[in-house]
Amino acid sequence: MANFGLWDLRLVNPRDGWPNEKARATASKADHVIERVRVFETLEAAIADLTLVYATTARSRDMRKPVLGPEDACQNLTAHIDQGFQAGLLFGRERWGLNNEEIAISDAIVTLPVEQAFASLNIAQAVLILAYEWRRQSGLSATLPFKEAIGEPAGKDELVGMFEHLEKTLDKSGFFTTPDKRPAMINNLRTMLGRGQFTSQEVRTFRGIISSLDRAHERQRENRVKPIKTE
Amino acid sequence: MANFGLWDLRLVNPRDGWPNEKARATASKADHVIERVRVFETLEAAIADLTLVYATTARSRDMRKPVLGPEDACQNLTAHIDQGFQAGLLFGRERWGLNNEEIAISDAIVTLPVEQAFASLNIAQAVLILAYEWRRQSGLSATLPFKEAIGEPAGKDELVGMFEHLEKTLDKSGFFTTPDKRPAMINNLRTMLGRGQFTSQEVRTFRGIISSLDRAHERQRENRVKPIKTE
């Protein structure tokens, strides 16, 4: 709930009573949710102030009640809340879910788009998916907690300098064996390296790489040339 | 994974070895996933045949690497797969996630749109959300495992019969105190009850209710009348 910004947790007649120290211990610091918990003796009391209640279930019921997936359900819920009304999502017991009486007083059934053969989710998983989808439909998920590290993009002059540096070095090394193909190969190289959208720092790093390989090449040539001299 | 149709699980150097009976026991019958698991000594080996790998992390890194939310990430992944390529989602260790070397060989970072203050999700939760979103972006989530129970919708003749039955009964009971307002009230009643889109069976049930209340009313009137007679 807290991961995706929900905080109003209502419990109906909880098996292990309330407050529950185990619940607090496993709440990963979401104390604001635990502290606000309200306990009710009946479902009717728990939803009395709400005007739209959706019941979650993984089992088909013989009820002429709309069955919604998470997207449609959360779209309706957030629209209802945006209109100034209060809405709730109802989850059943871990062992056997909600009974038909509890679903009958809800407005619709929500179920998850799971594989038929592997439909078993525990209540924490069902809450997680619906909390995520609620946040998505609320538009809150457009903002991620962090962004790509900002790098100062290199100017085209820097990029062209880098390309020419590489191409001059490749001319020396004999990379372009067919002069006819040189212009097309240069276009391909520039396209390939351009896709990386290097920063100024990355252009400097890459030019360092070219120089380093070029010098190694020079040294190699010198080494090859020398023995001939001493012969 | 199995809930949302994923099955290709690859493990890199798992802490507790493999096969792992505890993993099988907690897999809730998703044996096809457990049985297909492949174990690799290095991440590089695990992703060798993939052409797009996204790394999940909840922590900002000082890397100029795209940061995507689940929607964009899974849209790209499914598009890549639709083009006939292979893609993977990389999850880190439960305790401390992925290190920068592991993220560096991935194509982008995926992070969840959580509340800043409550960003802590365990790996199972992160897998669940991304598997759900993957299924959604694959278009597979359009089909829910079950639908609303089908009821034969009542014909308009049945509905009009029901409305007239109710209105005649309300005429008798003195419900319409201001004759001028009768037509507008009838429109409101018909609108109100029409929204329920009753089935034929429900129309019969509702007519039963009207008759029952009408008879009770009749009896009450008889009871009220009698004493006067006997006076």
Side-chain angles (χ1 to χ4, degrees):
Chain A
M1 285 180 63
N3 293 133
F4 295 115
L6 297 176
W7 50 265
D8 187 359
L9 175 60
R10 304 174 178 197
L11 300 176
V12 176
N13 197 19
R15 188 193 60 186
D16 297 337
W18 195 266
N20 179 329
E21 279 316 307
K22 206 174 154 197
R24 181 181 296 271
T26 53
S28 293
K29 289 178 272 168
D31 295 329
H32 65 299
V33 175
I34 299 294
E35 272 154 27
R36 281 169 189 262
V37 161
R38 279 177 283 172
V39 177
F40 298 87
E41 296 225 343
T42 63
L43 173 60
E44 288 77 357
I47 64 174
D49 60 328
L50 307 180
T51 46
L52 186 69
V53 173
Y54 284 173
T56 59
T57 178
R59 279 190 296 121
S60 173
R61 314 288 172 128
D62 189 25
M63 285 188 186
R64 226 182 119 261
K65 202 169 274 283
V67 175
L68 306 171
E71 293 181 70
D72 290 339
C74 293
Q75 226 161 52
N76 296 352
L77 290 171
T78 54
H80 195 77
I81 293 165
D82 287 347
Q83 288 172 328
F85 301 123
Q86 298 220 69
L89 259 174
L90 182 58
F91 295 89
R93 302 144 193 90
E94 182 63 64
R95 288 286 293 282
W96 46 275
L98 293 169
N99 60 35
N100 286 352
E101 289 68 33
E102 290 157 343
I103 292 177
I105 58 164
S106 304
D107 296 288
I109 287 170
V110 181
T111 199
L112 300 177
V114 287
E115 287 278 329
Q116 285 275 15
F118 301 97
S120 131
L121 279 173
N122 64 38
I123 180 179
Q125 291 173 314
V127 171
L128 184 72
I129 294 284
L130 283 158
Y132 165 76
E133 191 62 63
W134 175 82
R135 188 172 182 83
R136 219 174 63 77
Q137 298 296 342
S138 309
L140 295 170
S141 72
T143 312
L144 296 176
F146 61 88
K147 291 202 178 75
E148 180 172 348
I150 296 162
E152 192 201 348
K156 288 296 174 196
D157 53 346
E158 295 171 279
L159 285 169
V160 171
M162 181 187 87
F163 291 147
E164 288 174 351
H165 183 177
L166 176 64
E167 289 146 18
K168 216 178 72 188
T169 311
L170 291 176
D171 276 331
K172 275 201 298 178
S173 77
F175 176 78
F176 299 107
T177 46
T178 321
D180 286 2
K181 291 191 179 155
R182 188 179 181 277
M185 290 191 82
I186 282 179
N187 287 345
N188 290 343
L189 284 175
R190 290 182 173 200
T191 298
M192 199 171 110
L193 293 168
R195 275 206 304 276
Q197 297 180 304
F198 291 173
T199 62
S200 297
Q201 177 55 55
E202 287 165 345
V203 164
R204 285 192 294 275
T205 302
F206 198 80
R207 293 193 69 157
I209 291 171
I210 301 168
S211 298
S212 165
L213 294 176
D214 187 29
R215 278 193 306 271
H217 180 81
E218 289 287 322
R219 271 197 302 276
Q220 209 173 36
R221 195 159 55 182
E222 279 163 29
N223 289 343
R224 234 183 313 159
V225 170
K226 267 177 197 162
I228 300 171
K229 274 187 187 165
T230 52
E231 261 175 9
Chain B
M1 286 179 63
N3 293 133
F4 295 117
L6 297 177
W7 49 264
D8 187 0
L9 175 59
R10 302 172 179 201
L11 301 176
V12 176
N13 196 17
R15 189 192 60 188
D16 298 337
W18 196 265
N20 181 327
E21 278 315 308
K22 208 174 152 196
R24 183 181 294 271
T26 53
S28 292
K29 288 179 273 168
D31 295 329
H32 65 300
V33 176
I34 297 294
E35 273 153 27
R36 281 171 190 260
V37 161
R38 279 178 283 170
V39 177
F40 298 87
E41 295 225 346
T42 64
L43 174 59
E44 287 78 357
I47 64 174
D49 60 329
L50 308 181
T51 46
L52 186 68
V53 173
Y54 284 173
T56 58
T57 177
R59 279 189 297 121
S60 175
R61 314 286 173 129
D62 190 24
M63 285 187 186
R64 226 182 120 261
K65 203 170 272 284
V67 175
L68 307 172
E71 293 180 71
D72 291 338
C74 293
Q75 226 160 53
N76 296 352
L77 291 171
T78 53
H80 194 76
I81 293 164
D82 287 347
Q83 287 171 329
F85 301 123
Q86 297 223 69
L89 258 174
L90 181 58
F91 295 89
R93 302 145 191 89
E94 182 64 64
R95 288 286 293 281
W96 47 276
L98 293 169
N99 60 36
N100 286 352
E101 289 69 32
E102 291 158 343
I103 292 177
I105 56 165
S106 304
D107 296 287
I109 288 170
V110 181
T111 199
L112 299 177
V114 288
E115 287 279 329
Q116 285 275 14
F118 301 98
S120 131
L121 279 173
N122 62 39
I123 180 179
Q125 290 173 314
V127 171
L128 183 71
I129 294 283
L130 283 158
Y132 165 75
E133 191 63 62
W134 174 81
R135 189 172 181 83
R136 219 174 62 77
Q137 298 296 343
S138 310
L140 295 171
S141 72
T143 312
L144 296 175
F146 61 88
K147 292 202 177 77
E148 180 172 348
I150 296 162
E152 192 202 348
K156 288 297 175 195
D157 54 345
E158 294 171 279
L159 284 169
V160 170
M162 180 187 88
F163 291 147
E164 288 176 351
H165 183 177
L166 176 64
E167 289 147 18
K168 215 178 71 186
T169 311
L170 292 176
D171 276 332
K172 274 202 297 180
S173 78
F175 175 79
F176 299 107
T177 46
T178 322
D180 286 1
K181 292 190 180 155
R182 187 178 182 276
M185 291 190 81
I186 282 178
N187 287 344
N188 290 343
L189 284 175
R190 289 182 174 200
T191 297
M192 199 172 110
L193 293 169
R195 276 205 304 277
Q197 296 179 301
F198 292 171
T199 61
S200 297
Q201 177 54 53
E202 287 165 344
V203 163
R204 286 192 292 275
T205 302
F206 198 80
R207 294 192 69 156
I209 291 171
I210 300 168
S211 298
S212 165
L213 294 175
D214 186 30
R215 279 193 303 271
H217 178 83
E218 288 288 322
R219 273 197 299 278
Q220 208 172 37
R221 194 159 57 185
E222 278 164 28
N223 288 344
R224 231 185 315 156
V225 170
K226 268 179 196 159
I228 299 171
K229 275 191 186 163
T230 52
E231 260 178 9

